[in-house]
Every structure is written in structure tokens, then in C-alpha cells.
Amino acid sequence: MNVRNLTTTLAALGGLFILYIGLSFLIAPQSSASGFGLPSWPEHEGTAFLAIKGVRDLGTGLVLFALLLTGHRRALGWAMLAMSFIPAGDMVIVLSNEGSTGKALGIHGLTAVLVALTAGLLLRERPAARAAMPTTASPATTRIPAPATR
């Protein structure tokens, strides 16, 4: 597998993963929240914050796929580098609120590293060489065969 295929696969998997997380927080917010790593979650009117997280994650995944599907690989790399801030921030939030250190590092920290690594690979890609366009010969260089002699 070449680097371009690897980065495409990593970006697509990252997009699918964050879409799944976003849908999980919209469909089953309380059960999804328990895996985030914080010791407690909003209740009653505060549960709307879980839906906000779901929408944020869905939007993130859609941006990744929009850039991937339109072939804007360099922009995808920059977007993923910027988006690596999200799981890094989540890790800091979990750690600073007496959450699970294992989940903070294992889920959020690892995700931040993988997203940043994928971004770095995308940003290091060289533009694909364009196929040589067939050129038509100019009339001055076109050779006309000489008439056959008898």
C-alpha cells in the first residue's frame, strides 16, 4: 500500500469513526457519555450538551468527507491538523475534571495523535504528476510523405 492509499484510508476511517460517535451521542446520549471518561454527565435540561457534542462530531466528519471526496488533499491535511485540537482538548478536559486517566490518554490522546499523524502524512504528499497531455503536431513540423515514384 502506498502512502497516498494509506492516508486516504486513515482519513476515511477517521471520518467514519467521528460520524459514528456523533450519531451515538444523538441517538443514545447517556449511554455514549459514559465512555467519554468524565465522572459525571449533565442531567435533565443539561442533556442538550450531549446533543451538541453529537452535532459537532457529525459536522467534523462531514468536513473530512467533503474535502476527501472533492480531492482537496492539502486542505484535508490542514483541516485534520486543526481538528486534532478537539480530541487533545477533550483529553485535557477529562484529566482536569477527575475523569479516567486511561480513557483520557487511551481514547482522546491516541485519537489526537492519529489525527495529527494523518494530517502530517497528507501535508507531506507530493501533488500527483499530471499525465502527459497528448499534443498535436504543429503544421510546420508535420511531415507529409513524398509521393511515390514509378
Side-chain angles (χ1 to χ4, degrees):
M1 177 180 276
N2 65 29
V3 175
R4 185 175 176 87
N5 289 342
L6 176 66
T7 55
T8 300
T9 301
L10 290 172
L13 288 174
L16 288 172
F17 177 72
I18 201 62
L19 287 174
Y20 168 76
I21 297 297
L23 285 172
S24 296
F25 269 86
L26 287 174
I27 294 169
Q30 289 297 334
S31 61
S32 298
S34 64
F36 194 81
L38 289 173
S40 63
W41 283 96
E43 294 182 19
H44 309 293
E45 291 92 28
T47 58
F49 285 102
L50 300 176
I52 290 170
K53 182 198 175 343
V55 170
R56 173 193 80 169
D57 290 348
L58 282 175
T60 300
L62 292 174
V63 167
L64 294 179
F65 278 109
L67 292 170
L68 186 61
L69 294 174
T70 58
H72 293 99
R73 298 180 70 79
R74 189 143 182 88
L76 175 61
W78 285 113
M80 289 190 78
L81 186 60
M83 289 175 186
S84 68
F85 175 79
I86 296 169
D90 290 345
M91 178 185 69
V92 170
I93 290 168
V94 170
L95 290 172
S96 63
N97 285 280
E98 300 176 15
S100 166
T101 302
K103 288 182 181 178
L105 299 175
I107 296 171
H108 307 294
L110 181 60
T111 300
V113 168
L114 290 174
V115 172
L117 175 67
T118 302
L121 291 172
L122 281 160
L123 292 171
R124 290 194 62 197
E125 281 184 1
R126 300 283 180 236
R130 292 188 179 176
M133 299 293 291
T135 58
T136 56
S138 65
T141 61
T142 305
R143 294 186 180 211
I144 300 173
T149 57
R150 294 186 187 211

